[in-house]
Amino acid sequence: METAELLPSRRLARWHLALPLLAVLVLLLSTSATQQLDFWLHDTFIRLMPVTPPDDLAIVAIDEKSLEALGRWPWPRHRHASLIDRLDDADAGPIALDILFTEPSDNGHDDRRLAEAMERHGNVILPLHIFPGDSERPLREFLPTARLTRTAAALGHVHAELDDDGIARTLFRRQGLGEATWPSLADAVAIQAGIGAQVPEAGELAAPYVNVRSHRVHVPFTRPGAIPRFSYIDVLEGRVPNSQLAGRTLFVGHTAAGFGDVLPTPISGRGNPLTGVEFHANTYAAMVRDRLVHPGSLWPVAGAGIGIILLITLAFPRMRPARTLLLSLGLTALPLLLSALAMRWLQLWMPPSAPALVAALAFPLWTAERLALLTHFLNRQLDALGHERDVPTSELADTAPTRLLEHLKELLGARDGWLVTEGQPVRGQPPVTTQQLQQPGKWQHEATTSRVRFYRNGAWHELGLVWPASGTDDARRAYLNRLPLHTGTGGATIETSRERLSRRIQRVHSAALNLAGMRRFIGTGFERMPDGVIVTDALGVIEFVNGRIAAWFDTPRESLVGMPLARLLAGAVPDMNPPTGKRSWRDGILSVLTEGTPLTAELPLGQRTLLFHLTPFRQSQWRQPGLIANFSDITDLRERQRQYREAIDFISHDMRSPLVSQLALLDQLQRENRNADPETLGQIARLARRSYELAEEFVQLARAEDLTEKRFYECELLTIAENAVDAVEQQARSRAIRILLDGEEDLWLRSNAELLERAVINLLSNALQYSPGSTEVTVTVEKAGGYGIVAVADQGPGIAPEDQPMVFQRFRRQQDQEMGGPHGAGLGLAFVQTVAERHGGTVDLVSTLGRGSTFRLYLPLTD
């Protein structure tokens, strides 16, 4: 069954794949559905690509040790002034003092000392904070006091940006209220250190209280502990050598727990957040190493997704499912790899989740599409199968009990029958009986009835057959005993599912079972056929053969498939038979393919004669017709025809000749009107006896050919031989020939003693006919293996080697017999061979010219 029109086009399959993927891409890019996954990938890349801090960077930490030594916070500002003086004495570089001095101190002397210290060093950067002030003024800029602001080398904002998940990954390099914006603390330090350029302002026109932010960047971090750290108290009290402070860029800030200035970051998470001073020091390190990551545009991400969709759309319909899975996995990993490379080498953050998810969804979407197409295809195929002609593959258990009764009556020739279901007569009337059927499914046979009790289709049935008055034979009873009628009283019932997919699976399962049953039915039918079958394609190349072809041509089936039919036939019989009118097998096969005319020929193959029929065979409307060849074994038919012709020749000559002679003598006596003299009567008697003997040979051979095991019974072999010797004793005496009998007793076999005795008589008669007078004929009865052997040996002239293969053929006589020896029909030895074969035995001959012949009859013995 062809299905080309049921298959979807590749273009349709591509659009079915491309449109859903494009819709998924647009949905992912226009929403925050992949935000958390992008955050996780971003943090993973950050952890895998840490920044190496510059050698001149260090942190002066206000840690627990310093708080314990200097007391509770806040400290007087003159201590910070002392720290700056100490760092100035050590020739330190820029100092980022990450401490907010937004209000004057209670002691104005402290503010003056701090301002003077900052002025002496000349490179101290102070932070400012943009923070909601009160409900009336949502945002305020908290700057240092005016004196400190004037003496600071620069100001930088310390506002870090928290993403939706509360992690600090980015900051704005410029931020402020209104048109004037401030650089970040790290930018201010870098500018003062001479390694950074001023970040330009956004240039936006904004109200004075609008938070203006620009130049957002993602901060890569160093490994924890990579930036050197000095305790505030150690630096203040001179325990840190000047050599370790000279020329360094220092960030001074809180690191002790409890200050609240902490930020969860990709490398620390919420469990161990970084302090503000550590965050800004990491930002400065990334800035110095030129590792700040800039957010990329949405269009390259969308372009990557569209490219992946285009590649998937072009490649998937051309690839096998396993390769589409590998391609989907590879395209899923590709955006991740490109995003990591862009972050590392181009300092760009390209969120890879959307195109990666599109690639990951491509395989299940394509699989679902293929399954949908497969379901559609299977539904169409199931519908098409429903319109196919059914092959009768029903089981006996599917036959209704009423039909079963009618079929059994018709098949077995029952006179009548009955069927009772659950105690109620359905067909016929059961006889009155007191004997109950005990074992379900087992037939009970009585004189003229056979009945059985069985369970089927949820009910108990009793079926009976009434035989003719002569009763039933063993064959009918044996057939009934083998019938599997009882199906049991319970079993699993397959319920039809209400779920759509399950119903389809059940339909496919049912169709598969039907197809399997059909294939078994057809395959078993072809294999059990008495004929050989060959099926070829439109080129005459063999596609199928059954077992008989392989056996008859003595070629393995695997070698026959794929072989041109003309080569097979030409190898067996080079030339076709003249009645076909074709010179070669190739011409005959081509004629059938082109003209569509069936071809019939006779094919002699070894010892067989095959009748060859060749006809066109169209498997479907989409394929060119092939050929189907049928080989029928007509060897037996040809042999019977030969025997029939020989019998006609024999009757027309051998049997007709003595009858004609008798009629001629009787006609002569009638014309001469005289009484028959003794010589004439003797001649007529001899001719009549010869006609009788010829007819008797015919009758005995026919009886032997009709012999079956039903006519066998237990016989003793030596007794059969003795009776045969007694039957020819008079004939032997007339020629002074002695018959010597020697043999074993108690050799029993199942046979027809009458025909077996006649076969031994035929062997003895032949031996007496061809033996010279005053010689001996020996009869031996012995056992060899499981066979009893009757051997008859004479001292006659023997049989020529060229005649020995034909002595058991019908109507065959030896050359000397044809030339005037003892006359016979040539059926005696054919009778012996037939009797031996009917008993499951054989007969053979050993003969030497001038030394006599020995015939041995082999018969199977019983245990």
Side-chain angles (χ1 to χ4, degrees), residues 429-451:
Q429 188 64 36
V432 178
T433 178
T434 58
Q435 187 175 3
Q436 298 295 325
L437 294 171
Q438 299 297 329
Q439 186 173 353
K442 184 175 182 181
W443 285 84
Q444 178 178 307
H445 305 286
E446 298 174 358
T448 58
T449 61
S450 297
R451 60 196 186 113

Side-chain angles (χ1 to χ4, degrees), residues 233-436:
I233 188 62
D234 290 340
V235 174
L236 183 63
E237 295 181 356
R239 288 192 288 269
V240 178
N242 291 343
S243 60
Q244 296 186 18
L245 299 173
R248 283 186 179 272
T249 299
L250 299 174
F251 281 78
V252 181
H254 308 286
T255 63
F259 279 99
D261 184 18
V262 292
L263 295 171
T265 62
I267 62 170
S268 63
R270 295 184 178 87
N272 187 25
L274 292 183
T275 60
V277 68
E278 291 176 307
F279 179 85
H280 296 297
N282 276 271
T283 304
Y284 174 80
M287 193 176 298
V288 171
R289 296 299 187 188
D290 196 19
R291 290 285 302 279
L292 288 177
V293 178
H294 303 275
S297 172
L298 182 64
W299 293 110
V301 178
I306 293 174
I308 289 175
I309 293 175
L310 182 61
L311 181 60
I312 289 173
T313 303
L314 294 175
F316 270 30
R318 302 174 179 269
M319 299 176 67
R320 297 178 180 177
R323 294 183 178 178
T324 59
L325 175 60
L326 295 177
L327 179 60
S328 179
L329 294 176
L331 292 178
T332 302
L334 181 62
L336 308 182
L337 178 62
L338 293 178
S339 178
L341 293 177
M343 176 179 283
R344 178 64 182 86
W345 301 108
L346 301 179
Q347 286 76 52
L348 284 176
W349 167 237
M350 311 293 291
S353 296
L357 285 177
V358 167
L361 290 174
F363 180 76
L365 185 63
W366 175 244
T367 302
E369 178 67 22
R370 288 171 61 88
L371 289 176
L373 295 176
L374 177 62
T375 302
H376 175 72
F377 169 77
L378 289 178
N379 288 336
R380 295 288 298 274
Q381 290 293 83
L382 289 173
D383 294 339
L385 285 174
H387 293 87
E388 291 286 339
R389 182 184 302 174
D390 292 335
V391 176
T393 59
S394 60
E395 299 290 341
L396 185 61
D398 300 329
T399 306
T402 53
R403 295 184 57 124
L404 183 64
L405 173 63
E406 298 300 327
H407 293 335
L408 287 177
K409 287 172 58 179
E410 181 71 23
L411 175 64
L412 302 178
R415 179 168 56 87
D416 200 357
W418 74 88
L419 175 65
V420 176
T421 300
E422 295 293 339
Q424 300 296 323
V426 178
R427 292 283 192 279
Q429 188 64 36
V432 178
T433 178
T434 58
Q435 187 175 3
Q436 298 295 325

Side-chain angles (χ1 to χ4, degrees), residues 555-563:
T555 305
R557 189 178 306 191
E558 294 77 11
S559 300
L560 291 173
V561 175
M563 178 187 297

Side-chain angles (χ1 to χ4, degrees), residues 397-401 421-422 454-461 485 487-489:
D398 300 329
T399 306
T421 300
E422 295 293 339
F454 61 95
Y455 186 87
R456 182 179 297 181
N457 299 331
W460 283 98
H461 309 275
L485 299 182
T487 58
T489 58

Side-chain angles (χ1 to χ4, degrees), residues 3-213:
T3 57
E5 78 284 358
L6 301 179
L7 298 178
S9 67
R10 180 171 293 174
R11 180 178 299 176
L12 180 61
R14 286 173 176 168
W15 280 112
H16 283 181
L17 180 62
L19 291 178
L21 291 179
L22 188 60
V24 170
L25 179 64
V26 172
L27 178 65
L28 295 179
L29 292 177
S30 59
T31 64
S32 59
T34 61
Q35 186 181 62
Q36 293 299 322
L37 180 58
D38 284 327
F39 285 162
W40 180 81
L41 291 172
H42 173 277
D43 296 348
T44 301
F45 295 159
I46 290 295
R47 287 191 294 270
L48 293 176
M49 296 180 287
V51 174
T52 302
D55 297 334
D56 61 349
L57 176 63
I59 295 176
V60 177
I62 302 175
D63 52 9
E64 285 82 356
K65 178 182 178 180
S66 301
L67 291 174
E68 184 178 354
L70 298 178
R72 296 176 58 186
W73 188 265
W75 294 335
R77 294 180 181 176
H78 66 268
R79 288 182 181 169
H80 301 308
S82 300
L83 176 69
I84 293 174
D85 290 337
R86 172 74 184 87
L87 294 176
D88 186 51
D89 293 340
D91 200 18
I95 302 172
L97 192 60
D98 188 14
I99 302 172
L100 292 177
F101 302 107
T102 58
E103 295 179 356
S105 65
D106 295 336
N107 185 352
H109 178 70
D110 285 351
D111 286 345
R112 187 179 66 255
R113 286 192 59 187
L114 178 58
E116 292 173 353
M118 292 171 56
E119 189 173 3
R120 283 193 296 273
H121 185 271
N123 203 2
V124 177
I125 301 95
L126 293 181
L128 64 91
H129 192 40
I130 302 173
F131 188 78
D134 50 43
S135 58
E136 298 295 332
R137 301 176 63 185
L139 287 176
R140 287 182 56 192
E141 292 179 343
F142 292 89
L143 277 67
T145 62
R147 177 178 290 183
L148 296 179
T149 300
R150 287 193 299 271
T151 57
L155 298 180
H157 76 84
V158 292
H159 184 76
E161 194 71 18
L162 297 181
D163 290 322
D164 292 343
D165 59 349
I167 303 297
R169 299 180 179 89
T170 61
L171 61 77
F172 291 95
R173 298 183 69 178
R174 293 202 72 90
Q175 183 172 354
L177 298 180
E179 299 179 7
T181 57
W182 305 93
S184 68
L185 182 63
D187 275 298
V189 174
I191 293 171
Q192 293 303 118
I195 57 174
Q198 184 73 29
V199 179
E201 296 190 15
E204 299 179 5
L205 296 177
Y209 304 107
V210 174
N211 188 16
V212 178
R213 301 175 296 181

